Amino acid sequence: MRLSELKIGEKAIVVKVLGRGAFRKRIIEMGFVRGQEVIAELNAPLRDPIKFKIMDYEVSLRRSEANLIEVVTEEEATSVITPTSHGTTAEESTHARAAEMRGKTINIALVGNPNCGKTSLFNIASGANEHVGNYSGVTVDAKAGHFDYKGYRINIFDLPGTYSLSTYTPEELYVRRYLNNEMPDVIINVVVASNIERNLYLTTELIDMDYSMVVALNMYDELEKSGTKLNYKLLGDMIGVPMIPTVSRSGKGIDELFDTVIDVYERRNKSVRHVHVNYGPAIEAAVNEIKEKLRTSKTALKYSPRYLALKMLEGDNEVMSMLSDNENFEELKSISSKLKAQIEDALHEDIEQAIANEKYGFISGALQETMQQGAEDSRNITRVIDSLVTNKVVGIPIFILLMFLMFEATFVLGSYPMEWIETGITLLSSWLHSIMTPGPLKDLLIDGILGGVGGVIVFLPNILILYLFISLMEDSGYMARAAFIMDKAMHKIGLHGKSFIPLVMGFGCNVPAIMATRTIESRSSRLITILINPFISCSARLPVYILFIGTFFPKHVGWAFLILYVAGIAVAFITARLLRRFYFKEDETPFVMELPPYRIPTIKATCRHMWSKAEQYLRKMGGIILVASVIVWALSYYPRPDIEGELTPQQATEQQANSYMGHIGRAISPILEPLGFNWKITIALISGTAAKELIVSTLGVLYAGGEEAPEALSAKLTQPNPATGSPDFTPLIAASFLIFVSLYVPCIASITAVAKEAGSWKWGVFSILYNTFVAWLCAFIVFQIGSIFI
């Protein structure tokens, strides 16, 4: 807890002092050091400041200052200390040991550019299984993990990748606010060693903010392979930040990195010193003048005054808002505005450009003394591959071919293990059918659980193969090239090239894909990308596609898959164009996106990604799909006719039609009858609004009853309906059904993501109504035109 939270009369033990600079030094000198007892004695009449007693003298602190001191109460101190064998522990010893234990908790923030390997480092350090991709936007929130290391409790936070700490993108603002509000004990600045000059720009911004920091020179093996020599020890001494070579993929250097973090935290690393990046006489004079005015500011206690002064000169809105409650804010604002104008007039360039030039000059000067460039260009292979995959003639055909191969392999390679699982489910159903006596329990197990969950779990191999391809494209760096290739086409429909990455991510799951739109700077492009993402066929629809394409279009599997996915993309693009044309203004945001070097995906990272998705899929099987299957079974099983023994197929059909589910389906089915759908299909589509896999499990339950021997669901779908004499599904109805499933209302999780990321539930409602209308219209056209010719 913080000292400001201590109630009057309560005692606490100091754990650590947060903040930085002069405030931290002064407060430590006053006795606020680890293990010291402090008592809250008195509030001022207006509750601020507060009088504390420490080391037998009284001191007054404002609440804002007390909030920067971390303490542990006596009760907490006793609870974290194990009593001695005699059952007693001296009070002073308890306080000191409790403060020592709490003081050995280190909060670390991982900060770095996109594609620098932060999440790989996070995974290997904390044991977490966050997905790693070789393109920007994988991490869109702070991921938290923890582990114990050499007597310390390490809390580690993986922040979104960002190139700077301005407020140009949501990531930059998020990272900056996180650092300012949470005040981590140590920052690990992850830097791509082979691209160190550009990566160190962010390092200079962190230096301005005056944080305790360690630089992880990640992917150091790539720098060594290029023949470049870097005296990282000297470079760290020059900029006042220790540097440690690491290779996150293999774990090399990770122990040394955290050893250095501990040394920095305990203030015993000799490389650590605060270095000012010199911005030239004009800017430095202005910074010093503003710093003098900031000395009385409460905000300057928490943040580096030099950092605040620089941001005021840049006209940073976030910093201006932070300082707005200061008494002399208007004077500060006037002075900074006047000084900014003077600097720009003297230097003949805007202040942000001047500061950036000086930062890169500082970096270049330091590297000239510490780095010897190798003869081998490590990006040669990248250039060779790019000359092919981004070629204006073959680039797009290569992308389409890769998509086709992905869908073809998903079905063809996945069909073998799918058949094995399907055979196992059928054998288990047959065995239960033979040993159990007729009754509700038998029907629940065979028709409800195995018919529902078993009908979906058979598609697990196909899901894994799809994610294998997506993971390989992401980890290799090809995904960023896909955005590069498609930027012009995206611009034609009023979107940004960056929008293509969330759309491709949607092949896996729409929810993280919608969240990944945060990397898009333009508000309008981000919102349009969010709204069209549910039209991209996610992996949850894959079981439906595989079931119906394998059953009704087995000779044209690859093309059927491609048509469905392309249809979804086409509708998404048309929707984007309509939204841009009639609702949003034109987006003039420039296309600026890093194209990372190609890297060979590691088996470990790929397997981790695939297992993560398999785990999610299996959890869904044992959760929502199991519950929904039982509910659908119960509603379609009751009320039962007064007939002893098993029902004949004709009786089972009549019973289902008169069940609770049958009444619901027949009430709604008139809306979908023009598409060729009966009440059973209607019920399956309704259940699919919770999760698209439920469509298959619902059909498995609804078509399970009345069988003398269990059969595969694909066989049941082609059998004649005893009531009508013809199958409920024909190739034409199946085509109409697939089109509808690919486009209609997204699942509940996607709707929630749309509303959250768009900032209003009106967009969630829009997605439900618009997507369902488009799906109905397209399926109607397919069925009605098909009926003319077939």
Side-chain angles (χ1 to χ4, degrees), residues 165-391:
L165 294 176
S166 63
T167 54
Y168 181 58
T169 68
E171 285 77 22
E172 292 169 350
L173 188 57
Y174 182 96
V175 171
R176 205 166 91 179
R177 285 177 175 172
Y178 183 92
L179 296 178
N180 287 335
N181 295 334
E182 301 300 326
M183 289 184 292
D185 297 312
V186 181
I187 290 174
I188 295 180
N189 177 208
V190 185
V191 166
V192 179
S194 59
N195 193 9
I196 190 169
E197 185 170 8
R198 197 258 305 169
N199 277 243
L200 284 179
Y201 184 87
L202 178 60
T203 309
T204 63
E205 295 210 303
L206 294 169
I207 289 172
D208 285 337
M209 296 180 82
D210 194 16
Y211 281 107
S212 294
M213 182 165 55
V214 178
V215 169
L217 294 170
N218 202 29
M219 306 178 196
Y220 200 76
D221 53 336
E222 294 182 4
L223 180 135
E224 292 179 319
K225 186 179 178 181
S226 70
T228 298
K229 304 292 184 183
L230 176 66
N231 188 339
Y232 58 85
K233 179 68 170 63
L234 176 58
L235 180 59
D237 290 341
M238 290 176 65
I239 68 172
V241 181
M243 295 186 163
I244 306 298
T246 61
V247 183
S248 294
R249 290 182 297 173
S250 65
K252 183 179 178 181
I254 301 300
D255 285 347
E256 186 182 356
L257 175 67
F258 286 103
D259 288 341
T260 307
V261 166
I262 292 171
D263 285 345
V264 169
Y265 175 73
E266 297 291 1
R267 304 189 181 277
R268 56 179 182 239
N269 188 286
K270 295 180 181 178
S271 295
V272 176
R273 62 192 180 94
H274 185 53
V275 175
H276 285 172
V277 178
N278 192 311
Y279 295 110
I283 296 176
E284 288 295 332
V287 167
N288 290 331
E289 185 174 340
I290 297 174
K291 276 174 62 179
E292 286 299 316
K293 296 292 183 182
L294 282 168
R295 287 191 182 277
T296 59
S297 168
K298 292 183 293 183
T299 310
L301 290 174
K302 190 174 180 181
Y303 309 109
S304 163
R306 179 177 175 83
Y307 162 74
L308 295 174
L310 283 166
K311 289 299 176 183
M312 287 199 75
L313 284 174
E314 292 178 349
D316 188 285
N317 291 330
E318 185 81 358
V319 165
M320 291 294 188
S321 176
M322 287 162 48
L323 293 168
S324 60
D325 61 346
N326 284 276
E327 293 179 2
N328 63 341
F329 173 66
E330 290 302 326
E331 182 186 4
L332 277 169
K333 188 177 177 182
S334 174
I335 290 172
S336 61
S337 179
K338 182 181 72 174
L339 291 172
K340 177 182 177 181
Q342 290 174 356
I343 292 169
E344 291 181 342
D345 185 58
L347 299 180
H348 304 292
E349 61 181 347
D350 67 80
I351 189 76
E352 290 185 4
Q353 181 66 52
I355 290 174
N357 288 343
E358 295 298 336
K359 284 183 187 291
Y360 277 116
F362 171 81
I363 295 165
S364 179
L367 291 178
Q368 281 180 8
E369 296 186 38
T370 57
M371 188 170 73
Q372 182 180 348
Q373 193 70 46
E376 180 184 344
D377 188 348
S378 61
R379 297 184 70 98
N380 274 343
I381 296 175
T382 293
R383 291 194 184 98
V384 170
I385 298 174
D386 274 348
S387 67
L388 180 65
V389 301
T390 64
N391 184 276

Side-chain angles (χ1 to χ4, degrees), residues 38 147 257 298 422-423 427 486 497 602 622 732 746 771-772 783:
V38 59
F147 61 98
L257 175 67
K298 292 183 293 183
E422 196 172 57
T423 300
L427 291 174
M486 297 302 295
T602 63
L732 178 58
N771 289 35
T772 304
F783 183 74

Side-chain angles (χ1 to χ4, degrees), residues 52-114:
F52 296 99
K53 183 177 182 181
I54 187 169
M55 298 179 74
D56 292 325
Y57 80 98
E58 295 175 340
V59 60
S60 172
L61 293 177
R62 291 194 183 112
R63 286 188 179 274
S64 58
E65 296 165 342
N67 193 51
L68 298 177
I69 302 172
E70 189 175 321
V71 297
V72 58
T73 64
E74 287 193 309
E75 292 77 11
E76 291 174 322
T78 304
S79 68
V80 299
I81 296 296
T82 304
T84 65
S85 58
H86 300 291
T88 59
T89 303
E91 185 179 7
E92 294 80 5
S93 176
T94 302
H95 292 177
R97 289 170 63 196
E100 181 72 19
M101 290 178 68
R102 287 299 178 94
K104 285 198 169 186
T105 297
I106 307 177
N107 297 315
I108 296 173
L110 296 178
V111 180
N113 290 180

